[in-house]
Short mmCIF file of all heavy atoms in Angstrom, two decimals:
data_model
loop_
_atom_site.label_atom_id
_atom_site.label_comp_id
_atom_site.label_asym_id
_atom_site.label_seq_id
_atom_site.Cartn_x
_atom_site.Cartn_y
_atom_site.Cartn_z
N MET A 1 -3.89 -40.31 -29.95
CA MET A 1 -3.67 -39.10 -29.19
C MET A 1 -4.04 -39.27 -27.66
O MET A 1 -3.39 -38.86 -26.80
CB MET A 1 -4.52 -37.97 -29.76
CG MET A 1 -4.19 -37.47 -31.08
SD MET A 1 -5.31 -36.10 -31.67
CE MET A 1 -4.96 -34.74 -30.57
N TRP A 2 -5.04 -40.01 -27.38
CA TRP A 2 -5.50 -40.36 -26.01
C TRP A 2 -4.31 -41.10 -25.42
O TRP A 2 -4.03 -40.91 -24.18
CB TRP A 2 -6.79 -41.16 -26.09
CG TRP A 2 -7.34 -41.41 -24.66
CD1 TRP A 2 -6.75 -42.12 -23.61
CD2 TRP A 2 -8.59 -40.75 -24.14
NE1 TRP A 2 -7.66 -42.03 -22.47
CE2 TRP A 2 -8.67 -41.16 -22.76
CE3 TRP A 2 -9.50 -39.82 -24.66
CZ2 TRP A 2 -9.71 -40.85 -21.97
CZ3 TRP A 2 -10.55 -39.46 -23.73
CH2 TRP A 2 -10.68 -40.01 -22.48
N TRP A 3 -3.86 -42.08 -26.14
CA TRP A 3 -2.75 -43.00 -25.52
C TRP A 3 -1.48 -42.14 -25.29
O TRP A 3 -0.76 -42.35 -24.17
CB TRP A 3 -2.47 -44.11 -26.56
CG TRP A 3 -1.33 -45.02 -26.11
CD1 TRP A 3 -1.27 -45.92 -25.13
CD2 TRP A 3 0.02 -44.92 -26.58
NE1 TRP A 3 -0.06 -46.50 -25.08
CE2 TRP A 3 0.79 -45.99 -25.98
CE3 TRP A 3 0.76 -44.17 -27.58
CZ2 TRP A 3 2.10 -46.15 -26.18
CZ3 TRP A 3 2.03 -44.41 -27.87
CH2 TRP A 3 2.66 -45.39 -27.10
N SER A 4 -1.14 -41.15 -26.06
CA SER A 4 -0.07 -40.26 -25.87
C SER A 4 -0.28 -39.22 -24.80
O SER A 4 0.60 -38.91 -24.00
CB SER A 4 0.43 -39.60 -27.24
OG SER A 4 0.63 -40.58 -28.21
N ASP A 5 -1.50 -38.52 -24.86
CA ASP A 5 -1.72 -37.51 -23.92
C ASP A 5 -3.22 -37.51 -23.80
O ASP A 5 -3.99 -36.95 -24.58
CB ASP A 5 -1.25 -36.17 -24.41
CG ASP A 5 -1.62 -34.97 -23.52
OD1 ASP A 5 -1.80 -35.19 -22.27
OD2 ASP A 5 -1.82 -33.95 -24.07
N TRP A 6 -3.78 -37.97 -22.61
CA TRP A 6 -5.18 -38.20 -22.46
C TRP A 6 -5.97 -36.85 -22.38
O TRP A 6 -7.10 -36.82 -22.78
CB TRP A 6 -5.58 -39.07 -21.27
CG TRP A 6 -5.33 -38.37 -19.85
CD1 TRP A 6 -4.06 -38.34 -19.20
CD2 TRP A 6 -6.11 -37.59 -19.17
NE1 TRP A 6 -4.23 -37.59 -18.01
CE2 TRP A 6 -5.57 -37.10 -18.01
CE3 TRP A 6 -7.49 -37.19 -19.36
CZ2 TRP A 6 -6.18 -36.38 -17.04
CZ3 TRP A 6 -8.14 -36.40 -18.42
CH2 TRP A 6 -7.48 -35.92 -17.27
N ILE A 7 -5.34 -35.85 -21.93
CA ILE A 7 -5.99 -34.55 -21.94
C ILE A 7 -6.27 -34.06 -23.29
O ILE A 7 -7.38 -33.58 -23.60
CB ILE A 7 -5.17 -33.52 -21.13
CG1 ILE A 7 -4.99 -33.99 -19.66
CG2 ILE A 7 -5.69 -32.15 -21.12
CD1 ILE A 7 -4.18 -33.05 -18.84
N SER A 8 -5.29 -34.13 -24.17
CA SER A 8 -5.54 -33.75 -25.57
C SER A 8 -6.55 -34.64 -26.21
O SER A 8 -7.37 -34.12 -27.00
CB SER A 8 -4.19 -33.79 -26.36
OG SER A 8 -3.32 -32.83 -25.85
N GLY A 9 -6.49 -35.91 -25.89
CA GLY A 9 -7.44 -36.91 -26.50
C GLY A 9 -8.76 -36.51 -26.09
O GLY A 9 -9.79 -36.54 -26.92
N LEU A 10 -8.97 -36.29 -24.79
CA LEU A 10 -10.34 -35.87 -24.23
C LEU A 10 -10.83 -34.55 -24.94
O LEU A 10 -11.98 -34.51 -25.27
CB LEU A 10 -10.25 -35.70 -22.71
CG LEU A 10 -11.54 -35.39 -22.12
CD1 LEU A 10 -12.63 -36.47 -22.23
CD2 LEU A 10 -11.29 -35.13 -20.64
N THR A 11 -9.90 -33.52 -25.05
CA THR A 11 -10.29 -32.35 -25.68
C THR A 11 -10.77 -32.49 -27.20
O THR A 11 -11.90 -32.09 -27.54
CB THR A 11 -9.15 -31.37 -25.81
OG1 THR A 11 -8.66 -31.17 -24.45
CG2 THR A 11 -9.52 -30.09 -26.40
N VAL A 12 -10.13 -33.37 -27.93
CA VAL A 12 -10.51 -33.75 -29.25
C VAL A 12 -11.84 -34.48 -29.19
O VAL A 12 -12.83 -34.19 -30.04
CB VAL A 12 -9.43 -34.49 -29.99
CG1 VAL A 12 -9.98 -35.08 -31.33
CG2 VAL A 12 -8.26 -33.63 -30.19
N LEU A 13 -11.99 -35.40 -28.33
CA LEU A 13 -13.22 -36.26 -28.19
C LEU A 13 -14.42 -35.32 -27.93
O LEU A 13 -15.56 -35.59 -28.38
CB LEU A 13 -13.02 -37.30 -27.18
CG LEU A 13 -13.98 -38.48 -27.22
CD1 LEU A 13 -13.88 -39.22 -28.53
CD2 LEU A 13 -13.78 -39.47 -26.00
N LEU A 14 -14.17 -34.32 -27.08
CA LEU A 14 -15.36 -33.49 -26.70
C LEU A 14 -15.71 -32.44 -27.84
O LEU A 14 -16.86 -32.05 -28.01
CB LEU A 14 -15.07 -32.71 -25.41
CG LEU A 14 -14.94 -33.55 -24.12
CD1 LEU A 14 -14.53 -32.68 -22.95
CD2 LEU A 14 -16.27 -34.20 -23.90
N THR A 15 -14.70 -31.91 -28.56
CA THR A 15 -14.89 -30.95 -29.55
C THR A 15 -15.33 -31.48 -30.96
O THR A 15 -15.94 -30.82 -31.82
CB THR A 15 -13.67 -29.99 -29.70
OG1 THR A 15 -12.60 -30.87 -29.97
CG2 THR A 15 -13.50 -29.25 -28.47
N LEU A 16 -14.82 -32.73 -31.18
CA LEU A 16 -15.10 -33.40 -32.50
C LEU A 16 -16.52 -33.54 -32.81
O LEU A 16 -16.88 -33.29 -34.05
CB LEU A 16 -14.42 -34.81 -32.46
CG LEU A 16 -14.17 -35.43 -33.82
CD1 LEU A 16 -13.25 -34.46 -34.58
CD2 LEU A 16 -13.48 -36.75 -33.56
N PRO A 17 -17.49 -33.85 -31.95
CA PRO A 17 -18.92 -33.96 -32.37
C PRO A 17 -19.55 -32.63 -32.82
O PRO A 17 -20.61 -32.74 -33.46
CB PRO A 17 -19.65 -34.34 -31.03
CG PRO A 17 -18.53 -35.08 -30.17
CD PRO A 17 -17.20 -34.28 -30.56
N LEU A 18 -18.91 -31.54 -32.52
CA LEU A 18 -19.47 -30.28 -32.95
C LEU A 18 -19.48 -30.25 -34.54
O LEU A 18 -20.41 -29.66 -35.20
CB LEU A 18 -18.66 -29.08 -32.53
CG LEU A 18 -18.72 -28.83 -31.07
CD1 LEU A 18 -17.82 -27.69 -30.63
CD2 LEU A 18 -20.09 -28.51 -30.55
N ILE A 19 -18.41 -30.82 -35.14
CA ILE A 19 -18.40 -30.77 -36.63
C ILE A 19 -19.55 -31.59 -37.22
O ILE A 19 -20.21 -31.08 -38.16
CB ILE A 19 -17.00 -31.22 -37.13
CG1 ILE A 19 -15.92 -30.30 -36.59
CG2 ILE A 19 -17.09 -31.43 -38.68
CD1 ILE A 19 -14.59 -30.64 -37.00
N PRO A 20 -19.76 -32.90 -36.82
CA PRO A 20 -20.90 -33.61 -37.30
C PRO A 20 -22.26 -32.95 -37.14
O PRO A 20 -23.14 -32.98 -38.01
CB PRO A 20 -20.78 -34.98 -36.59
CG PRO A 20 -19.41 -35.06 -36.22
CD PRO A 20 -18.98 -33.75 -35.94
N ILE A 21 -22.42 -32.32 -35.91
CA ILE A 21 -23.69 -31.67 -35.68
C ILE A 21 -23.94 -30.58 -36.73
O ILE A 21 -25.05 -30.41 -37.35
CB ILE A 21 -23.67 -31.13 -34.34
CG1 ILE A 21 -23.81 -32.29 -33.26
CG2 ILE A 21 -24.97 -30.14 -34.06
CD1 ILE A 21 -23.62 -31.78 -31.79
N PHE A 22 -22.88 -29.72 -36.92
CA PHE A 22 -23.01 -28.66 -38.03
C PHE A 22 -23.16 -29.24 -39.36
O PHE A 22 -23.89 -28.68 -40.22
CB PHE A 22 -21.89 -27.67 -37.86
CG PHE A 22 -22.10 -26.65 -36.83
CD1 PHE A 22 -21.80 -26.84 -35.45
CD2 PHE A 22 -22.60 -25.44 -37.19
CE1 PHE A 22 -22.01 -25.92 -34.55
CE2 PHE A 22 -22.84 -24.45 -36.17
CZ PHE A 22 -22.48 -24.61 -34.95
N MET A 23 -22.53 -30.38 -39.58
CA MET A 23 -22.59 -30.99 -40.95
C MET A 23 -23.99 -31.49 -41.21
O MET A 23 -24.54 -31.34 -42.32
CB MET A 23 -21.64 -32.18 -41.02
CG MET A 23 -20.22 -31.89 -41.27
SD MET A 23 -19.13 -33.22 -41.19
CE MET A 23 -19.91 -34.29 -42.44
N ILE A 24 -24.74 -32.01 -40.12
CA ILE A 24 -26.10 -32.49 -40.34
C ILE A 24 -27.03 -31.31 -40.67
O ILE A 24 -27.85 -31.34 -41.51
CB ILE A 24 -26.54 -33.25 -39.03
CG1 ILE A 24 -25.68 -34.57 -39.04
CG2 ILE A 24 -27.99 -33.51 -39.10
CD1 ILE A 24 -25.99 -35.28 -37.66
N LEU A 25 -26.84 -30.24 -39.82
CA LEU A 25 -27.67 -29.05 -40.02
C LEU A 25 -27.40 -28.38 -41.39
O LEU A 25 -28.46 -28.12 -42.07
CB LEU A 25 -27.41 -28.02 -38.97
CG LEU A 25 -27.71 -28.45 -37.44
CD1 LEU A 25 -27.29 -27.34 -36.53
CD2 LEU A 25 -29.17 -28.79 -37.31
N ILE A 26 -26.21 -28.31 -41.72
CA ILE A 26 -25.89 -27.76 -43.11
C ILE A 26 -26.32 -28.65 -44.23
O ILE A 26 -26.75 -28.24 -45.25
CB ILE A 26 -24.39 -27.37 -43.23
CG1 ILE A 26 -24.03 -26.29 -42.21
CG2 ILE A 26 -24.03 -26.89 -44.63
CD1 ILE A 26 -22.59 -26.01 -42.04
N GLY A 27 -26.11 -29.97 -43.97
CA GLY A 27 -26.47 -30.98 -44.93
C GLY A 27 -28.04 -30.96 -45.22
O GLY A 27 -28.40 -31.09 -46.45
N LEU A 28 -28.84 -30.75 -44.16
CA LEU A 28 -30.21 -30.66 -44.38
C LEU A 28 -30.58 -29.47 -45.35
O LEU A 28 -31.48 -29.61 -46.22
CB LEU A 28 -30.98 -30.50 -43.16
CG LEU A 28 -30.99 -31.75 -42.15
CD1 LEU A 28 -31.62 -31.44 -40.88
CD2 LEU A 28 -31.60 -32.93 -42.86
N ALA A 29 -29.96 -28.29 -45.02
CA ALA A 29 -30.14 -27.19 -45.91
C ALA A 29 -29.66 -27.37 -47.31
O ALA A 29 -30.32 -27.04 -48.28
CB ALA A 29 -29.46 -25.98 -45.32
N THR A 30 -28.52 -28.01 -47.43
CA THR A 30 -27.94 -28.33 -48.74
C THR A 30 -28.83 -29.27 -49.55
O THR A 30 -29.04 -29.00 -50.76
CB THR A 30 -26.54 -29.02 -48.55
OG1 THR A 30 -25.75 -28.05 -47.81
CG2 THR A 30 -25.92 -29.20 -49.97
N ARG A 31 -29.42 -30.29 -48.87
CA ARG A 31 -30.30 -31.21 -49.63
C ARG A 31 -31.48 -30.43 -50.19
O ARG A 31 -31.86 -30.75 -51.26
CB ARG A 31 -30.75 -32.38 -48.76
CG ARG A 31 -31.56 -33.33 -49.44
CD ARG A 31 -31.93 -34.47 -48.60
NE ARG A 31 -30.70 -35.19 -48.22
CZ ARG A 31 -30.73 -36.29 -47.36
NH1 ARG A 31 -31.84 -36.77 -46.83
NH2 ARG A 31 -29.59 -36.90 -47.08
N ILE A 32 -32.14 -29.51 -49.36
CA ILE A 32 -33.19 -28.85 -49.84
C ILE A 32 -32.90 -28.00 -51.09
O ILE A 32 -33.59 -28.00 -52.12
CB ILE A 32 -33.77 -27.95 -48.69
CG1 ILE A 32 -34.35 -28.84 -47.58
CG2 ILE A 32 -34.86 -27.00 -49.20
CD1 ILE A 32 -34.72 -28.07 -46.34
N VAL A 33 -31.83 -27.20 -51.06
CA VAL A 33 -31.56 -26.39 -52.13
C VAL A 33 -30.98 -27.17 -53.29
O VAL A 33 -31.25 -26.86 -54.56
CB VAL A 33 -30.55 -25.28 -51.71
CG1 VAL A 33 -31.12 -24.36 -50.73
CG2 VAL A 33 -29.14 -25.88 -51.27
#
């Protein structure tokens, strides 16, 4: 995506980490329960 359209690639690169962050937070809660 970056090679085809760097703006879209940058957008994905900036928003993508939000998912792992929430996954970690939810994963901690999931492991406890």
Side-chain angles (χ1 to χ4, degrees):
M1 291 179 65
W2 188 291
W3 177 75
S4 302
D5 176 28
W6 71 270
I7 296 179
S8 297
L10 180 61
T11 304
V12 172
L13 198 60
L14 293 175
T15 56
L16 202 59
L18 294 175
I19 296 179
I21 291 174
F22 274 84
M23 281 175 56
I24 292 173
L25 295 176
I26 296 172
L28 292 175
T30 302
R31 179 176 299 178
I32 293 172
V33 296

